[in-house]
Amino acid sequence: MDPGEPREPRGEGARRPRDDDENFGYDDPAFDGPEYTRSDPYPDDAAAYARDQRRTEEIYEDSGEYQPPSFTPDELEGLDQGGGPRRFLPLEDEPTTLVARYLFPTERYRGEWKRHWIHLTTPIAIGAGATLVLGYLAGFLTRQNIDGMVTVAVLVWLGVISWVAWQVFDWYFDRFILTNKRVMVVNGIITRKVAMMPLLRVTDMKYEQSALGRMLSYGTFVLESAGQDQALREVKHLPNPNELYLRVVEEMYEPQAVEARLGKEDDDAD
């Protein structure tokens, strides 16, 4: 072969069709059906293009209306745990007779709370200890035939139990009260004590929880006011301190939100 003559292509390139071979690839009998009729892939006819577009839209057209997903209460249970907006615990709509006497007519009642049962641990522990000690002492004195001292031991035990019962009654009548105007603490059985602080004068408020308080859900509230003489500053052993803290803060800074929420709840109840 003369060096000047072009060489014939070999290998893969030799099997490639020429660009002007329009019938290449259509000699296979599998492509003889009418559905494989050769046509221009890019028709210039606008009507044909629109027809293809409509056919495509019909294929992907949604057969029905959108249906929002539905969930059962069991599936939604527990989704609000660990974060997000919290719902306040429900309270009574009306104050008890113990509290109602201390509210004036234009005041909006928000709730009342008894102190946590941890408040009774000291008197109950004293009563239980006195029962064990005086019971053992009474048995010892009986074996020694000292009847007079047994009577004294029984009287001492009755006195201790009466004091414990007094503390329990005092705990029952001790209330922390919140309204849209003030916070109050009312306690005492025979001698009633009413301490009050207007919400407008509260300059700072915090609550403290020990490790045991976090486990049993109680804490101590500390209220600071603009005045020097504070009738109500520290309130110990209040239940659900975070719940109560949110209620007081919302009442101080967002009273309109409280009224709107309570009004909505009333409408739902109707």
Side-chain angles (χ1 to χ4, degrees):
M1 178 181 293
D2 185 54
E5 294 180 1
R7 298 181 179 181
E8 294 181 0
R10 296 181 179 180
E12 182 181 357
R15 294 189 297 271
R16 292 179 180 175
R18 297 191 305 274
D19 293 338
D20 56 352
D21 187 1
E22 299 179 354
N23 297 320
F24 177 79
Y26 290 92
D27 296 334
D28 192 338
F31 294 91
D32 292 342
E35 64 271 15
Y36 294 104
T37 303
R38 181 175 177 82
S39 61
D40 188 359
Y42 302 101
D44 295 333
D45 189 359
Y49 177 78
R51 184 172 58 254
D52 294 340
Q53 286 292 106
R54 288 195 298 271
R55 185 181 298 111
T56 304
E57 293 176 358
E58 291 175 358
I59 294 174
Y60 292 100
E61 184 179 3
D62 193 1
S63 59
E65 297 182 357
Y66 171 74
Q67 298 294 332
S70 60
F71 302 94
T72 63
D74 295 336
E75 294 174 333
L76 298 177
E77 185 178 2
L79 291 182
D80 58 348
Q81 300 296 326
R86 297 178 61 257
R87 291 185 177 182
F88 289 131
L89 296 177
L91 297 175
E92 297 294 335
D93 296 333
E94 298 294 334
T96 61
T97 55
L98 177 66
V99 173
R101 69 185 68 179
Y102 303 107
L103 305 179
F104 52 89
T106 58
E107 197 170 17
R108 299 291 185 87
Y109 169 80
R110 299 305 189 208
E112 59 184 87
W113 294 264
K114 293 196 295 287
R115 296 180 192 260
H116 195 270
W117 59 262
I118 200 71
H119 190 69
L120 297 174
T121 52
T122 298
I124 290 177
I126 292 175
T131 300
L132 293 176
V133 172
L134 294 176
Y136 175 80
L137 181 60
F140 175 78
L141 295 175
T142 300
R143 290 192 298 271
Q144 300 297 324
N145 295 323
I146 307 177
D147 296 336
M149 295 301 297
V150 173
T151 303
V152 172
V154 172
L155 292 176
V156 171
W157 178 79
L158 290 175
V160 173
I161 294 302
S162 298
W163 176 80
V164 172
W166 182 273
Q167 295 297 317
V168 172
F169 277 108
D170 185 69
W171 165 81
Y172 179 79
F173 290 104
D174 190 351
R175 302 295 172 88
F176 180 86
I177 307 163
L178 173 64
T179 70
N180 65 329
K181 301 291 185 181
R182 53 182 173 161
V183 291
M184 293 186 294
V185 172
V186 178
N187 55 15
I189 299 177
I190 297 177
T191 303
R192 300 292 289 170
K193 300 177 183 179
V194 180
M196 180 270 295
M197 181 181 294
L199 291 177
L200 294 177
R201 293 186 58 185
V202 177
T203 59
D204 188 21
M205 182 183 66
K206 64 179 182 179
Y207 71 90
E208 302 172 353
Q209 277 187 293
S210 62
L212 182 61
R214 295 181 64 184
M215 289 188 294
L216 300 180
S217 186
Y218 73 89
T220 298
F221 266 70
V222 180
L223 303 174
E224 299 288 347
S225 70
Q228 297 295 328
D229 187 13
Q230 300 178 13
L232 188 155
R233 184 180 185 275
E234 186 177 276
V235 186
K236 296 182 178 180
H237 303 150
L238 286 177
N240 301 319
N242 186 68
E243 169 87 16
L244 184 54
Y245 178 83
L246 292 176
R247 284 187 177 273
V248 177
V249 170
E250 187 181 28
E251 196 64 53
M252 292 170 57
Y253 296 105
E254 295 291 341
Q256 296 84 1
V258 180
E259 295 289 345
R261 186 178 72 253
L262 294 179
K264 183 178 180 180
E265 292 177 355
D266 293 339
D267 294 340
D268 294 341
D270 295 340

